[in-house]
Amino acid sequence: MSLKSPEQWLVTMNTNVGPFQMKIHRAWSPNGADRFYSLVRNNFYDGARFFRYADNFVVQWGIRGTPSIDQMYQNGANVMDDPRRADIGNTKGRVVFATSGANTRSTQVFMNLADNHFLDSQGFTPFGEIVGDDLSLFQNKINAEYGEKADQNRIISQGNQLYLKKSFPHMSYITSESVKVLAE
């Protein structure tokens, strides 16, 4: 499932509360863009919940909610870090892979709800950005009521059916994703 990303492309994420688009820039983060492209082309994010909403910080998603698939990505399917570019930072609307240390990016991504430049020196390299006024979907429609209450380990082990749908029934989620290549 390792595909090479086009140089620039749009991904449309359809959610239960409306669509949003992200423009992906391979030059910003080649390894990150390649991984995200592979995941999107294989519909990995279908059904993924926006499980973390940290007001004025980030909205995070990227655990599919299917234990057999999520556990596979937790066991060594990480992506090598990309070099940090001083001209590309964690500004409002930028999309970044979550990480728990060097070379630990996997499937989880977040979108910056604010300028979070303190993340720039911590290995959080943006690979894309929200297009146009689609940021308003995150600010006004993605359900923020659960904040950071969802337990990531339980999402991975129990999934959407056994854990998220029962404990967080109004959590917003992705229904489908599609790609439009802008530049090869």
Side-chain angles (χ1 to χ4, degrees), residues 15-27:
T15 77
N16 65 315
V17 294
F20 68 93
Q21 286 190 317
M22 296 184 290
K23 185 175 184 181
I24 310 304
H25 305 269
R26 190 172 191 277

Side-chain angles (χ1 to χ4, degrees), residues 27-28 83-91 94 117 120-121 125-126:
W28 292 5
R84 184 171 91 75
R85 287 183 47 171
D87 61 327
I88 307 297
N90 282 276
T91 56
R94 294 264 168 95
H117 291 291
D120 295 346
S121 63
T125 306

Side-chain angles (χ1 to χ4, degrees), residues 52-60 84-86 88-96 110-126 135 139:
R52 180 180 182 208
Y53 196 109
D55 196 35
N56 206 34
F57 181 44
V58 300
V59 175
Q60 188 168 334
R84 184 171 91 75
R85 287 183 47 171
I88 307 297
N90 282 276
T91 56
K92 187 176 187 175
R94 294 264 168 95
V95 182
V96 183
F110 64 84
M111 191 274 303
N112 288 291
L113 289 171
D115 290 344
N116 295 316
H117 291 291
F118 69 94
L119 296 175
D120 295 346
S121 63
Q122 297 179 31
F124 295 97
T125 306
L135 185 60
Q139 296 167 322

Side-chain angles (χ1 to χ4, degrees), residues 137-176:
L137 179 94
F138 288 89
Q139 296 167 322
N140 302 315
K141 293 186 178 180
I142 297 293
N143 190 340
E145 76 176 286
Y146 303 120
E148 300 185 67
K149 293 178 183 170
D151 180 325
Q152 294 181 36
N153 291 322
R154 288 187 69 188
I155 301 170
I156 292 166
S157 66
Q158 297 175 20
N160 291 341
Q161 295 295 336
L162 295 177
Y163 176 54
L164 289 182
K165 286 184 179 180
K166 289 181 181 177
S167 300
F168 308 97
H170 305 293
M171 190 174 278
S172 301
Y173 58 92
I174 295 168
T175 58
S176 65

